Amino acid sequence: MSAIFRNGNFTKLFIGRLFANAGDSFYMVGAMWMVYNLGGSTFYTGLAGFLTSIPRIIQFLYGPFIDRWPLRRMLVTTQLTQALLLLIVPIGYAYGFLSITLILILMPIISILNQFMYPAEMAALPKVLPREQLTMGNMLFTAANQGSDAAFNALGGLLIGAIGVSSLFLINSSLFFITAFVFSMLTVAAASTSIGTQTHAEHEKIQIKQFMKQYGRELTDGIKVLMQPYIKRLLAGILIINFAGGALMSILPEFGNGPEQYGLLMASMAVGGILGTVLAPALRIEQKRLGLLFIAAFLICGLLWMLCSQVTSPWLAAVLFGIGWLPGGVTNVASAVFVQTLVPESYMGRVMAAISSFSGLAMPLGFLLGGALGTYWGSSSIMLLCGMLVCLVSIFWLMDPMTRRMPSLQNMDADMLSRQITS
């Protein structure tokens, strides 16, 4: 593992990821709690989640830009902008103009900026790491993501009670300023794309119509990958799982019944995810049949969510909830390695953005319906229904012969996604 950290660019990306995820954790815990506290209903948390997750649907539109824009400039700009926007919350609180409307406006804007970061970093990994280190690199990145979530989700809940949610946003803004500074030291080369390098004079001669045609072709290249039979089947199930996940997150502040318990549930979710991520290399996921891996993972997840909805002990609920996210950590690493291994480097940004965009297509609806129905049925009933939906997806995959027989990563045709793009 020490060898991978001798790579300077990887280390900077990794440290930046840590600070960014710490900021994201404080932001999500603080924003969702503030909306719930100001609105007094799961409807408002569902609405906040809906507005925040909507930008993910159009993430595929960013793909061609991620492939062509300088990585360092893009990451620094998005982090600085988030830091400045988050300062509005403590300023609004100090001067008396903070409202639930203002929070609901800020949340989707910050979410739009976040949509660039994940596919950009995932597209950068194959540029800075050799192929044999990709599994370890993805494991470390996902572990950094979920590990910082585990610590800072719990800490965020505690800080809300100790110093107030407005002060939490001030700390949050500072973390994004630090992230921007770390990313400013990156030296990753610009991606090579089908557009090629051009002088300033040549660039000025390109007509808008030609650019839009090229942009459209690049979007189509990213979307073509989604039509690959294996990915198409997995995405169909992931859409339903993300719908359930959105509904679940909308009722979590009420299910937690207080900022400390809410923070504990968020932390347990992250701990479960990081344990699954760390286990992924040890499980030799490259050798496991991918279809069966997804079937088993989400069946376990759904059953544990159902069980969590019925227990009365807050600590037992947190433990069950956390373990329920462990299988997802394993499949996250498997999915990333699958794409990074088989997709050509120059197409990585648009493919990552397309997959992320379409996999999150149903999440906004889940947030909205989960929050609305939670006001009538209660948070425990919504969690039970979410667990049942995830179990049904596993059963669907089990009954589908192509998904059930999906080979391991090491036995897949290395050129199948390249042919899908160029066909």
Side-chain angles (χ1 to χ4, degrees):
M1 184 181 294
S2 60
I4 200 171
F5 284 106
R6 287 197 289 269
N7 185 315
N9 278 316
F10 175 81
T11 302
K12 291 165 190 173
L13 283 170
F14 182 80
I15 293 172
R17 181 76 265 179
L18 281 174
F19 279 105
N21 279 310
D24 287 342
S25 296
F26 279 179
Y27 163 68
M28 285 305 298
V29 172
M32 293 296 281
W33 181 256
M34 181 175 283
V35 167
Y36 179 70
N37 193 44
L38 290 173
S41 169
T42 60
F43 170 77
Y44 290 102
T45 56
L47 179 60
F50 172 79
L51 294 173
T52 304
S53 55
I54 278 289
R56 184 176 174 182
I57 296 177
I58 59 171
Q59 193 179 64
F60 71 97
L61 297 175
Y62 312 151
F65 296 109
I66 292 171
D67 282 329
R68 87 169 57 193
W69 284 350
L71 177 71
R72 181 177 62 182
R73 186 185 304 170
M74 178 169 55
L75 291 176
V76 170
T77 301
T78 55
Q79 298 308 296
L80 282 177
T81 307
Q82 286 183 84
L84 293 171
L85 287 173
L86 286 168
L87 285 176
I88 295 175
V89 175
I91 292 172
Y93 179 80
Y95 288 93
F97 63 83
L98 185 64
S99 66
I100 192 171
T101 302
L102 178 61
I103 300 298
L104 291 175
I105 291 172
L106 285 176
M107 289 183 77
I109 296 174
I110 294 173
S111 179
I112 289 173
L113 296 169
N114 265 330
Q115 303 314 307
F116 286 92
M117 187 170 180
Y118 177 78
E121 286 196 323
M122 292 297 101
L125 278 185
K127 298 182 179 69
V128 303
L129 291 177
R131 180 171 177 173
E132 61 271 16
Q133 289 184 335
L134 277 177
T135 298
M136 180 61 68
N138 278 288
M139 183 275 287
L140 289 170
F141 256 58
T142 309
N145 186 355
Q146 295 173 338
S148 59
D149 280 351
F152 287 99
N153 282 341
L155 182 59
L158 294 174
L159 287 176
I160 289 173
I163 64 175
V165 69
S166 178
S167 299
L168 184 66
F169 274 85
L170 191 60
I171 298 172
N172 193 7
S173 178
S174 301
L175 289 169
F176 283 118
F177 278 119
I178 295 172
T179 306
F181 173 73
V182 173
F183 284 148
S184 70
M185 296 185 289
L186 284 170
T187 56
V188 180
S192 59
T193 69
S194 55
I195 295 175
T197 58
Q198 297 168 326
T199 65
H200 178 73
E202 290 172 329
H203 178 73
E204 291 296 326
K205 295 178 182 178
I206 297 177
Q207 299 296 319
I208 294 177
K209 184 177 180 180
Q210 292 174 315
F211 170 77
M212 293 306 297
K213 284 183 178 180
Q214 180 66 34
Y215 178 76
R217 284 195 294 269
E218 292 181 8
L219 280 180
T220 304
D221 289 341
I223 296 172
K224 277 182 180 179
V225 176
L226 307 184
M227 298 300 104
Q228 203 281 334
Y230 291 149
I231 294 180
K232 184 165 57 176
R233 283 165 167 77
L234 289 178
L235 274 181
I238 294 296
L239 283 173
I240 300 174
I241 291 171
N242 283 343
F243 172 86
L248 186 63
M249 295 303 294
S250 70
I251 54 90
L252 211 57
E254 182 180 275
F255 187 82
N257 194 26
E260 292 82 4
Q261 178 65 14
Y262 171 54
L264 180 62
L265 287 169
M266 295 288 287
S268 69
M269 176 178 71
V271 168
I274 192 173
L275 287 176
T277 300
V278 172
L279 281 174
L283 292 174
R284 301 183 183 277
I285 55 173
E286 299 93 342
Q287 301 175 11
K288 301 293 187 295
R289 292 172 62 180
L290 203 59
L292 294 180
L293 182 67
F294 272 76
I295 291 168
F298 288 105
L299 181 62
I300 294 170
C301 173
L303 290 172
L304 286 169
W305 284 2
M306 292 169 64
L307 186 59
C308 176
S309 71
Q310 301 303 305
V311 300
T312 56
S313 167
W315 284 98
L316 180 57
V319 170
L320 293 172
F321 190 66
I323 298 174
W325 290 90
L326 188 150
V330 176
T331 57
N332 282 343
V333 175
S335 300
V337 176
F338 171 73
V339 175
Q340 291 169 350
T341 300
L342 301 180
V343 173
E345 178 184 313
S346 60
Y347 291 88
M348 194 68 68
R350 69 199 77 167
V351 171
M352 282 289 190
I355 291 176
S356 181
S357 178
F358 281 88
S359 64
L361 199 61
M363 186 172 285
L365 185 60
F367 269 112
L368 199 60
L369 286 181
L373 294 176
T375 61
Y376 297 101
W377 296 349
S379 56
S380 295
S381 298
I382 298 299
M383 183 175 287
L384 177 65
L385 289 173
C386 290
M388 293 172 64
L389 275 176
V390 174
C391 288
L392 287 174
V393 170
S394 290
I395 294 171
F396 164 76
W397 282 333
L398 184 63
M399 295 175 63
D400 176 57
M402 181 169 285
T403 305
R404 190 173 62 248
R405 297 168 186 167
M406 192 180 301
S408 64
L409 289 170
Q410 66 180 14
N411 291 327
M412 284 187 180
D413 179 2
D415 297 320
M416 66 179 182
L417 293 189
S418 298
R419 290 196 300 269
Q420 190 78 28
I421 293 172
T422 56
S423 63

